[in-house]
């Protein structure tokens, strides 16, 4: 598992993006009307995903991890406490399981691997 970025559920997406801009982060992409990816510079990989989604809010803030082929990972780990089985999302194939303490562990197979850079896992170009 490789950490891609932190996911933070928010109530007001645009206000939250503006707030993180004041802290030095820059929007890299808006995968949907309810999500934004931010990084430390226009050429950096994303470090933070902001999402306006009540279901994500219920899960709380946490890391999003790349496990390669998400469907294969799911098949190999059916014993995990899956909160969300692999499904398509604005970021790509996405799934969530709970660890032994109940903490949500988010997994992602990015939508377009051609936009990933091997050295920094950039998910999308700056297209805000």
């Amino acid at each position: 598992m490789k950490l891609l970025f932190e996911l933070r559920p928010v109530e007001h997406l645009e206000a939250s993006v503006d707030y993180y801009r004041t802290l030095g982060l820059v929007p890299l992409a808006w995968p949907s009307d309810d999500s934004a990816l931010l990084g430390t510079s226009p050429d950096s990989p994303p470090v933070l995903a902001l999402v306006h989604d009540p279901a994500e809010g219920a899960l709380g803030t946490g890391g999003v991890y790349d496990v390669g082929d998400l469907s294969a990972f799911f098949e190999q780990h059916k014993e995990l406490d899956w909160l969300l089985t692999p499904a398509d999302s604005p970021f790509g194939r996405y799934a969530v399981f709970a660890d032994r303490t109940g903490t949500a562990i988010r997994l992602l197979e990015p939508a377009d691997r051609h936009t990933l850079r091997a050295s920094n896992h950039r998910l999308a170009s700056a297209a805000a």
Side-chain angles (χ1 to χ4, degrees):
M1 291 175 48
K2 180 175 180 168
L3 179 65
L4 292 171
F5 48 80
E6 179 183 330
L7 186 138
R8 182 160 299 164
V10 297
E11 289 293 320
H12 305 284
L13 183 61
E14 290 185 24
S16 296
V17 169
D18 287 342
Y19 173 75
Y20 284 100
R21 279 183 173 146
T22 68
L23 298 177
L25 295 180
V26 295
L28 301 174
W30 299 79
S32 72
D33 290 342
D34 295 323
S35 62
L37 290 171
L38 293 93
T40 56
S41 73
D43 294 326
S44 76
V47 295
L48 182 64
L50 301 176
V51 296
H52 175 69
D53 181 329
E56 289 292 351
L59 295 175
T61 296
V64 177
Y65 299 88
D66 185 348
V67 292
D69 183 331
L70 184 54
S71 295
F73 184 90
F74 175 75
E75 290 299 321
Q76 294 167 0
H77 296 89
K78 291 249 186 180
E79 77 285 356
L80 296 174
D81 182 11
W82 290 98
L83 304 175
L84 175 66
T85 58
D88 292 332
S89 80
F91 297 109
R93 297 276 298 155
Y94 181 71
V96 182
F97 69 91
D99 71 9
R100 291 181 180 160
T101 68
T103 301
I105 307 296
R106 294 170 171 96
L107 306 177
L108 178 70
E109 182 178 338
D112 185 357
R113 291 221 177 254
H114 297 293
T115 62
L116 291 176
R117 294 182 187 173
S119 63
N120 66 15
H121 271 60
R122 173 113 184 244
L123 286 180
S125 62

